[in-house]
Amino acid sequence: MLLSIKEVAKRLRISVSKTYALVARGELPSYQIGTCRRVSEEDLQKFLEQCRHEPVRRPEHRTRHF
């Protein structure tokens, strides 16, 4: 299913202008259909996976006894 830029922005909870910027920079693939811009749900999911960052595990604090 293809989503409008407004629908994508709503799903990501970001502004429409920020969504257009992601598309313009090529970070979020889209389709130009006439004057309309559409994003596939699959491309949106791939984009989200690329944005995902796992928490970095910090080493446990060890006390030193000298």
Side-chain angles (χ1 to χ4, degrees), residues 5 16-30 37 39:
I5 296 295
V16 172
S17 60
K18 176 69 174 177
T19 307
Y20 274 114
L22 291 170
V23 168
R25 290 193 304 259
E27 295 179 39
L28 181 58
S30 67
R37 188 63 77 175
V39 176

Side-chain angles (χ1 to χ4, degrees), residues 5-19 22 44 47-48:
I5 296 295
K6 189 174 181 179
E7 291 170 325
V8 172
K10 189 174 181 179
R11 286 190 182 194
L12 295 177
R13 296 183 180 169
I14 60 175
S15 69
V16 172
S17 60
K18 176 69 174 177
T19 307
L22 291 170
L44 180 57
F47 170 76
L48 289 173

Side-chain angles (χ1 to χ4, degrees), residues 32-62:
Q32 181 76 39
I33 304 171
T35 59
C36 301
R37 188 63 77 175
R38 297 288 185 256
V39 176
S40 73
E41 287 191 44
E42 182 180 311
D43 286 337
L44 180 57
Q45 287 302 319
K46 287 178 185 177
F47 170 76
L48 289 173
E49 286 299 317
Q50 292 172 353
C51 292
R52 185 179 179 148
H53 294 282
E54 295 294 328
V56 178
R57 291 190 62 106
R58 295 183 179 182
E60 294 180 22
H61 181 70
R62 296 181 184 177

